[in-house]
Amino acid sequence: MIRPSDAHEPDEHRADAIITPATMLVVAVIVVGTAVRVLLAATIGLGVDESYAVAVARQWSLGYFDHPPLAFWIAGAVARLTGHENGFVMRLPFIVMFAGTTWLVYRIGARQFGEWAGAYAALLVNLAPVFSVSTGGWILPDGPLMFFLLLAVACLTRALLENGGPALSWWIAAGLAAGLALLSKYQAVLPIVGLLTFLLTQPAARRRLRTPGPYVGGALAALLFTPVIAWNARHGWASFRFQLARGASEPGLHLGALLENVGGQAGYLLPWIWLPLVAVLWRGLVRGPRDAKRWFFICLAIWPIGLFTLVALGGKPGLPHWPAAGYLMLFPLLGDVVASRMARGDARVRRWLAASAIAFAIILAIVATQTATGWMTRLVPGLFRRGDPTLEALDWTDLRTTLATRGLLRDSSLFVASTSWIEGGKIAYALGERVTVVCLCRNPHHFAYLHEQRALFGRDALLLDRTRGSSDAARRYAPYFATIDSLAPVVVRRGGYPALTIAVFRAHDFRVPYPMHTE
């Protein structure tokens, strides 16, 4: 049996031998974490990106405007197999996938740094909200991305850091996993660049470039990515252009945007976990290639973290979860540090772990209950002066109920028009797949490819526009319809209280296509 005092000593045979206290800890983390995510999936509505994913996944495609197709394929497959678009059921594959992600973090850390290192790494991943909550249970590309990246890393450690059998077989498995990661999200290319960095900078690993493994694995990954290439080639490289434009810079250096970016990363990981991760990253950079195992994880981490942090100097802070794939690679190193200090009886680390778990539970409970009921909004009026972000996870079920009660969904010739892709996803998910929803806006994202505008000419539309007071949609859309009549708005409630208002218009005779940008 492994004792905590042995935690910092890697022994691959011992780690595989029997069920140990470290393994039991990881199993407990997976069971409890999965139960919490199932509870959240059953009580919290779909977020903006989730609703959008469900809506656009109704049409199978080789690629999608925002991301590669794998997450959309999963969502669409679940909807077709079950015969309905139940958000709880559609989240289940992503919840299961994160259970696998947790296990992979454990196994990678255990094989390279010892069982307790792997166990603590798995625990800490589950205490970081960007992984435990969004990656762990939402209908997003991040879940498949992290799972398949770690699967590739597990294979690569066998091929590069261990004598785990025929190296070519591990390279083949790594290539297949990397290809599925690329089919999940474009960011997967950055850890792959990190792998190349390791192969070029670590003397022992550099010799592997004279073997067929890296090239076979790379070819397989590229082959799996070809559906994305094919879709983009037929659509003017729209997805690539959109993603590259998100990092476009403005003149000068913008330190404020950089600080906002770094602050967001710390918040998404929780500052008391983010700082130790940065510390192990810095330590690994200082030690360099002479420590092959640690340098391997540093190389995988540095490109996503470095690129998505420095790009903020161009003036756009970006999204805090973009570097998450890089931080994920640092958890085995942090687990090793924690295991070593725990083995020495460091009470401060034990208290830090306990406090991290308690703080995460408290934060999660506050945010989850606010999202489900809106109690903080009522308790402290004006708390969210710039808008309540938890409203993003409110399903607009009242919209369908109200429109159906008014008889506005009986006319099959009517289509529904949204004024933004964000609202379009919420509307499409709420109304169901039988209602045609189009996005008449400048940046419709993948809605632009779902329905041809000219095929809708001559038909009437229900024009829906979320308001924060009044709506000028009738004036803005007057050039595209013969006439527009204002109808009674719809109030969407949360916890029995009004949460948001949707203006409703009956637009007659769609006759002029709305100009759109698809980049």
Side-chain angles (χ1 to χ4, degrees):
M1 181 176 292
I2 302 297
R3 302 187 308 274
S5 59
D6 300 326
H8 60 290
E9 295 296 334
D11 185 331
E12 62 187 70
H13 301 294
R14 183 178 62 196
D16 286 335
I18 56 176
I19 296 178
T20 65
T23 305
M24 293 172 63
L25 171 63
V26 176
V27 171
V29 167
I30 291 174
V31 170
V32 173
T34 300
V36 171
R37 291 179 197 99
V38 168
L39 178 62
L40 291 175
T43 56
I44 303 298
L46 299 192
V48 166
D49 290 335
E50 292 182 282
S51 301
Y52 168 79
V54 172
V56 301
R58 291 169 182 166
Q59 288 190 16
W60 187 88
S61 176
L62 287 175
Y64 293 83
F65 178 79
D66 311 75
H67 299 290
L70 187 56
F72 301 100
W73 286 351
I74 294 172
V78 172
R80 293 180 187 94
L81 287 172
T82 60
H84 53 76
E85 294 176 342
N86 182 284
F88 168 72
V89 175
M90 298 180 79
R91 280 172 166 168
L92 290 179
F94 298 85
I95 294 173
V96 171
M97 208 171 299
F98 190 72
T101 297
T102 300
W103 184 256
L104 285 170
V105 170
Y106 163 59
R107 294 304 303 136
I108 291 168
R111 291 192 69 88
Q112 302 309 314
F113 306 111
E115 262 205 301
W116 281 103
Y120 290 132
L123 171 63
L124 288 166
V125 163
N126 278 264
L127 298 181
V130 69
F131 297 112
S132 186
V133 179
S134 57
T135 298
W138 293 356
I139 307 168
L140 297 173
D142 303 80
L145 170 70
M146 303 305 176
F147 175 76
F148 287 114
L149 275 179
L150 283 178
L151 188 58
V153 169
C155 297
L156 288 168
T157 57
R158 296 294 189 96
L160 290 169
L161 305 179
E162 305 175 18
N163 295 319
L168 183 59
S169 63
W170 289 116
W171 280 105
I172 290 173
L176 293 173
L180 291 170
L182 286 169
L183 273 182
S184 303
K185 204 167 185 180
Y186 293 119
Q187 281 96 318
V189 73
L190 296 176
I192 294 175
V193 174
L195 171 63
L196 182 59
T197 303
F198 176 75
L199 291 173
L200 291 173
T201 59
Q202 215 287 323
R206 192 158 50 238
R207 292 194 292 270
R208 304 301 179 101
L209 291 173
R210 298 195 292 268
T211 67
Y215 308 100
V216 173
L220 288 172
L223 181 64
L224 287 178
F225 191 64
T226 52
V228 180
I229 302 294
W231 185 89
N232 274 276
R234 289 202 297 266
H235 295 89
W237 308 103
S239 186
F240 292 158
R241 288 187 289 115
F242 165 69
Q243 291 292 351
L244 291 173
R246 302 178 81 180
S249 61
E250 302 170 2
L253 296 178
H254 300 265
L255 294 179
L258 177 64
L259 292 175
E260 183 179 343
N261 176 290
V262 173
Q265 294 178 32
Y268 272 43
L269 285 159
L270 296 181
W272 50 88
I273 294 177
W274 174 76
L275 281 172
L277 288 171
V278 173
V280 297
L281 174 62
W282 176 253
R283 181 190 299 181
L285 288 171
V286 170
R287 297 175 73 167
R290 64 180 180 272
D291 187 338
K293 286 187 177 182
R294 288 171 175 79
W295 184 242
F296 173 76
F297 292 99
I298 294 297
C299 288
L300 297 181
I302 194 61
W303 282 94
I305 297 173
L307 178 64
F308 288 125
T309 301
L310 294 178
V311 74
L313 285 171
K316 294 183 177 181
L319 296 177
H321 68 275
W322 285 353
Y327 283 110
L328 183 63
M329 304 302 163
L330 298 176
F331 278 91
L333 303 182
L334 180 57
D336 182 38
V337 173
V338 172
S340 297
R341 294 191 178 184
M342 290 285 282
R344 295 198 299 267
D346 191 332
R348 292 173 302 175
V349 173
R350 182 175 285 104
R351 289 194 296 269
W352 170 73
L353 280 174
S356 296
I358 293 170
F360 173 72
I362 293 172
I363 293 170
L364 182 62
I366 291 173
V367 174
T369 54
Q370 160 63 19
T371 302
T373 67
W375 64 272
M376 293 175 64
T377 309
R378 297 191 299 275
L379 184 65
V380 186
L383 176 63
F384 300 107
R385 295 181 180 178
R386 296 185 179 181
D388 181 357
T390 64
L391 283 177
E392 291 188 2
L394 174 63
D395 289 337
W396 295 6
T397 51
D398 288 338
L399 178 65
R400 180 178 182 85
T401 302
T402 304
L403 293 181
T405 301
R406 296 177 185 176
L408 294 174
L409 299 181
R410 296 174 187 169
D411 188 349
S412 60
S413 67
L414 273 177
F415 69 93
V416 174
S418 170
T419 60
S420 81
W421 72 268
I422 292 175
E423 296 169 13
K426 303 298 285 187
I427 292 168
Y429 177 61
L431 298 184
E433 60 182 330
R434 295 185 180 180
V435 178
T436 298
V437 177
V438 300
C439 182
L440 300 184
C441 60
R442 298 292 289 176
N443 298 295
H445 289 224
H446 199 78
F447 278 109
Y449 307 100
L450 298 182
H451 303 285
E452 171 59 47
Q453 288 194 57
R454 294 186 181 277
L456 302 173
F457 280 1
R459 293 171 59 176
D460 291 359
L462 280 181
L463 180 60
L464 305 179
D465 182 38
R466 179 182 172 183
T467 70
R468 292 173 175 81
S470 61
S471 172
D472 65 345
R475 177 187 58 81
R476 288 186 286 122
Y477 287 87
Y480 309 101
F481 294 89
T483 58
I484 298 180
D485 300 325
S486 179
L487 305 178
V490 173
V491 175
V492 178
R493 297 176 177 270
R494 176 173 62 175
Y497 293 86
L500 55 91
T501 302
I502 303 170
V504 182
F505 303 89
R506 177 71 179 251
H508 303 272
D509 187 11
F510 183 44
R511 53 177 58 182
V512 178
Y514 194 93
M516 297 178 175
H517 291 302
T518 54
E519 57 180 278

